[in-house]
Amino acid sequence: MRVLLVKTSSLGDVVHTLPALTDAARALPGIQFDWVVEEGFAEIPAWHPAVAQVIPVAIRRWRQHPLRALRSGEWQRFKARLRETRYDLVIDAQGLLKSAWLTRYAPAPVAGLDRDSAREPLAARFYDRRYSVGREQHALERVRQLFAQALGYPAADTVADYGLDRSQLAAPSDQPYLLFLHGTTWPSKHWPERHWRELAERMSEFGWAIRLPWGNADEKARAERIAAGLPSVSVLPRLNLGGIAKVVAGARACVAVDTGLGHLAAALDVPSISLYGPTLPGRVGAYGRSQVHLCAPGPNAGKGDRHKPCFDELPPERVASELKALLRSSETT
């Protein structure tokens, strides 16, 4: 059986789809998936053994320069590629109008969420087969249930298996290290820089090496300020997604704000402390074993505001205490 999967973004959403592939491969031996995904995340689906082909799409870039996309032939080549393979089914696992629109170009029945389950109800109009999946559960489990219904097997009640081999992805390292994933999008999701600095100082005192990645100039500058004068704290060079995945896979543990890389750490079974301020982890938090969620207790916490800070009452001493406990626990399991 050959299935075309449409799940284009974001990083966390892409990662949350992996366990559904594992479920399907166990229930239907021999099933293969081709995966339509944003070009910036195209490395991730290729890590899963059930994925035969990754089909990059560039919706984000094409929206900025639509005429250039048409004149260059990229859009036409993308549509032609969807028509090259004969699929038994197309699954839109995103439930958005942009993802539903892409399903039109593959000549096969399309399955997706019904209007009461999809993030954008109008997307359901594009589907031949519509399925109800309850909203009051984690996004990862919703995708697993959608796949089970669309492909006709009992929904798995096992612990989510992302299907990734951490040992194969991890880069060699001469010493154990912690990874601080300090970069994120919303201003309100940022844990205060002074807290990162104090956490780095505390963990350095316990003999831990700490690595700080970055993805843009502001994140690099912040990483350099956190590391300044601390010999055991290093700022990594700029890395692509594959490069950062190797660093994540090799870490003894991570501390992360609400960011896609935190979901990647969970998928790679890296023990992690995830810090939540304006968002809550119940439906979209890092999901897996050895994942600890610390939620800010302030009045703005959990309100979904992009700008109001709410992390002042989640101090570094508490994070350090939870991190040390997590490290001890991971050494005994």
Side-chain angles (χ1 to χ4, degrees):
M1 187 177 188
R2 192 72 172 261
V3 177
L4 180 67
L5 165 62
V6 179
K7 185 80 163 188
T8 61
S9 61
S10 60
L11 176 55
D13 290 341
V14 171
V15 169
H16 285 158
T17 306
L18 296 170
L21 300 181
T22 306
D23 293 345
R26 289 173 176 167
L28 304 169
I31 192 171
Q32 288 187 316
F33 292 88
D34 291 353
W35 190 334
V36 176
V37 65
E38 271 286 342
E39 57 186 0
F41 308 130
E43 291 175 271
I44 295 174
W47 299 337
H48 197 288
V51 175
Q53 292 188 83
V54 179
I55 304 175
V57 67
I59 294 174
R60 294 177 175 181
R61 180 163 53 82
W62 292 343
R63 278 177 174 171
Q64 295 176 348
H65 306 286
L67 291 179
R68 186 183 303 173
L70 289 172
R71 291 169 180 167
S72 68
E74 280 189 279
W75 174 239
Q76 289 80 1
R77 288 192 294 272
F78 169 76
K79 292 190 294 182
R81 188 168 181 186
L82 293 190
R83 294 175 178 134
E84 286 176 359
T85 303
R86 183 168 182 172
Y87 295 107
D88 299 290
L89 184 68
V90 179
I91 299 178
D92 178 5
Q94 196 141 22
L96 299 177
L97 283 171
K98 69 174 184 179
S99 56
W101 180 263
L102 296 178
T103 66
R104 299 173 67 250
Y105 302 104
V110 179
L113 297 167
D114 67 17
R115 61 172 291 106
D116 294 325
S117 307
R119 288 166 62 186
E120 294 181 357
L122 284 176
R125 291 179 175 269
F126 288 83
Y127 310 144
D128 303 296
R129 305 171 188 175
R130 305 174 184 90
Y131 300 99
S132 175
V133 176
R135 291 176 174 270
E136 300 300 321
Q137 55 189 320
H138 196 278
L140 181 150
E141 297 297 345
R142 297 188 77 226
V143 180
R144 295 178 79 186
Q145 292 180 24
L146 171 62
F147 271 55
Q149 293 184 67
L151 295 170
Y153 57 84
D157 58 1
T158 56
V159 175
D161 181 350
Y162 290 86
L164 305 183
D165 189 335
R166 179 181 174 186
S167 63
Q168 288 190 358
L169 283 172
S173 176
D174 56 357
Q175 66 177 144
Y177 60 89
L178 306 177
L179 188 65
F180 288 0
L181 301 172
H182 58 96
T184 187
T185 50
W186 299 1
S188 58
K189 287 184 179 182
H190 283 281
W191 200 41
E193 184 179 314
R194 66 183 185 279
H195 289 357
W196 283 114
R197 170 69 184 196
E198 185 176 336
L199 182 63
E201 292 172 346
R202 287 173 176 268
M203 299 312 295
S204 294
E205 290 175 359
F206 286 95
W208 281 100
I210 298 164
R211 298 185 181 180
L212 301 171
W214 54 275
N216 56 47
D218 288 342
E219 290 179 6
K220 183 181 182 184
R222 180 171 60 244
E224 290 172 342
R225 291 191 296 268
I226 294 169
L230 299 176
S232 62
V233 182
S234 59
V235 178
L236 296 172
R238 184 160 196 163
L239 300 169
N240 60 19
L241 184 56
I244 190 62
K246 291 181 179 180
V247 178
V248 172
R252 186 64 60 87
C254 294
V255 180
V257 285
D258 185 0
T259 174
L261 293 177
H263 297 293
L264 182 58
L268 291 169
D269 204 20
V270 179
S272 300
I273 305 285
S274 295
L275 311 178
Y276 293 91
T279 56
L280 297 174
R283 298 184 190 177
V284 292
Y287 198 80
R289 297 176 295 184
S290 301
Q291 302 299 307
V292 176
H293 301 150
L294 297 182
C295 298
N300 295 324
K303 300 294 180 62
D305 192 292
R306 290 173 175 265
H307 300 285
K308 290 182 180 179
C310 51
F311 267 130
D312 285 342
E313 296 181 47
L314 185 58
E317 54 265 31
R318 182 184 175 195
V319 178
S321 176
E322 294 283 355
L323 180 55
K324 286 184 284 185
L326 183 63
L327 288 164
R328 288 193 298 268
S329 175
S330 65
E331 288 173 358
T332 60
T333 55

